[in-house]
């Protein structure tokens, strides 16, 4: 009897628990569609390679506008013309150097403050351009010779610093620049870094040694020398810096009188 009762109890189905009520869910509203005319946030150029070419194209107008400002005699930031690493300059460096020299010549002819230049090479008080930066512009011997011609013609008469670093100037172009500086009384700093063979070329170094026989203004050449003539060039720059110091002290004493 007990066995039958146990089997009957086991045969009884377990009570069915009622299913829980469904949870209430809220559907988040969808954002409104963006109109086609809405502007999207800017995307950086390094994430979108196709935008880099647009920025390079913009450099063309940048160079053109800068040279137009130079020719018009407009004031430049810090009296500096900086065309370094401009793509439009790199594409046709000889043409751009020629355009730059023409613009600077127009500025020189139209700038009345240049009449105030002193015999010792001091610049006038006008908006004369003092620094020209042409770093990484793919300038070669032809462009260097154009710059040398402009220096000889007095086009760079207000420029005290010229940066030609990281270009492709070789022996002939650098010799042209050295010869042009022989009578220059204004340029004080010349940057030729990034062209190591110039500092090893005896013809180039001898051209600068000869230049220093008549140039007492150039205070510093930035380049890497690996030649016995390096010591002679260092002595010349020391001499010029000594003269410049004496001139500054003489002017200071005159101003104090």
């Amino acid at each position: 009897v007990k066995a039958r009762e146990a089997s009957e109890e086991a045969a009884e189905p377990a009570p069915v628990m009622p299913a829980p009520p469904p949870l209430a869910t809220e559907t988040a509203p969808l954002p409104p569609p963006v109109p086609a005319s809405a502007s999207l946030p800017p995307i950086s150029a390094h994430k979108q390679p196709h935008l880099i070419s647009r920025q390079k194209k913009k450099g063309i107008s940048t160079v053109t506008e800068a040279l137009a400002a130079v020719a018009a005699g407009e004031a430049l930031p810090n009296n500096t013309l900086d065309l370094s690493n401009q793509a439009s300059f790199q594409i046709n460096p000889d043409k751009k150097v020629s355009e730059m020299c023409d613009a600077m010549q127009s500025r020189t002819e139209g700038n009345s403050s240049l009449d105030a230049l002193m015999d010792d090479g001091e610049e006038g008080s006008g908006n004369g351009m003092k620094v020209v930066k042409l770093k990484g512009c793919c300038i070669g011997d032809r462009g260097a010779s154009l710059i040398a011609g402009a220096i000889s013609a007095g086009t760079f008469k207000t420029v005290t610093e010229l940066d030609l670093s990281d270009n492709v100037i070789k022996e002939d172009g650098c010799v042209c620049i050295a010869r042009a500086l022989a009578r220059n009384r204004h340029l004080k700093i010349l940057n030729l870094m990034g062209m190591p063979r110039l500092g090893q070329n005896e013809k180039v170094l001898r051209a600068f040694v000869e230049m220093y026989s008549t140039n007492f203004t150039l205070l510093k050449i930035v380049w890497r020398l690996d030649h016995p003539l390096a010591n002679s060039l260092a002595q010349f720059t020391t001499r010029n810096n000594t003269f410049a110091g004496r001139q500054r002290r003489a002017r200071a004493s005159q101003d104090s009188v």
Side-chain angles (χ1 to χ4, degrees):
V1 174
K2 292 182 178 181
R4 187 174 63 246
E5 292 177 354
S7 62
E8 290 176 355
E9 292 178 359
E12 293 179 359
V16 178
M17 300 293 295
L23 298 176
T25 59
E26 296 182 359
T27 303
L30 295 176
V34 179
S37 60
S39 60
L40 296 176
I43 303 175
S44 59
H46 73 275
K47 293 182 179 180
Q48 297 291 331
H50 65 278
L51 294 181
I52 298 177
S53 60
R54 297 181 186 175
Q55 293 183 350
K56 289 184 178 180
K57 290 181 181 179
K58 185 179 180 181
I60 297 176
S61 61
T62 300
V63 173
T64 302
E65 292 173 0
L67 296 183
V70 170
E74 299 177 6
L76 300 176
N78 300 318
N79 290 330
T80 298
L81 174 63
D82 189 354
L83 303 176
S84 299
N85 300 306
Q86 287 285 350
S88 61
F89 215 115
Q90 296 167 348
I91 293 172
N92 197 341
D94 294 345
K95 179 182 178 182
K96 290 302 178 182
V97 168
S98 179
E99 292 176 356
M100 179 197 70
C101 293
D102 291 343
M104 293 180 65
Q105 180 63 29
S106 298
R107 185 187 188 91
T108 301
E109 293 173 351
N111 193 348
S112 59
S113 67
L114 296 178
D115 295 334
L117 289 171
M118 300 172 61
D119 291 338
D120 60 2
E122 279 297 305
E123 302 84 2
S125 58
N127 62 346
M129 186 165 44
K130 296 182 179 180
V131 181
V132 175
K133 295 184 178 182
L134 301 172
K135 178 180 179 181
C137 289
C138 296
I139 298 173
D141 286 349
R142 172 60 179 163
S145 65
L146 292 173
I147 293 172
I151 292 174
S152 299
T155 302
F156 281 66
K157 63 172 57 179
T158 64
V159 177
T160 60
E161 180 177 347
L162 176 60
D163 186 354
L164 296 175
S165 61
D166 294 339
N167 282 292
V168 290
I169 301 172
K170 298 179 182 176
E171 178 182 290
D172 292 342
C174 198
V175 168
C176 288
I177 291 175
R179 291 173 178 170
L181 291 175
R183 299 294 178 182
N184 182 274
R185 294 181 292 112
H186 311 289
L187 191 69
K188 297 179 181 179
I189 301 175
L190 175 64
N191 193 334
L192 297 174
M193 281 295 289
M195 297 174 285
R197 292 190 177 182
L198 296 181
Q200 302 170 355
N201 189 301
E202 183 167 353
K203 184 178 179 180
V204 168
L205 300 184
R206 288 198 179 279
F208 276 95
V209 169
E210 294 175 3
M211 176 272 297
Y212 273 118
S213 65
T214 55
N215 184 307
F216 297 88
T217 308
L218 188 61
L219 306 180
K220 184 179 181 180
I221 304 178
V222 184
W223 56 355
R224 194 175 300 279
L225 299 181
D226 184 13
H227 194 276
L229 287 173
N231 186 47
S232 299
L233 290 168
Q235 292 176 357
F236 282 122
T237 56
T238 300
R239 179 204 67 184
N240 284 8
N241 279 275
T242 301
F243 287 167
R246 292 176 182 174
Q247 290 176 344
R248 286 193 298 269
R249 289 191 293 270
R251 286 194 295 269
S253 62
Q254 290 176 358
D255 294 340
S256 61
V257 174

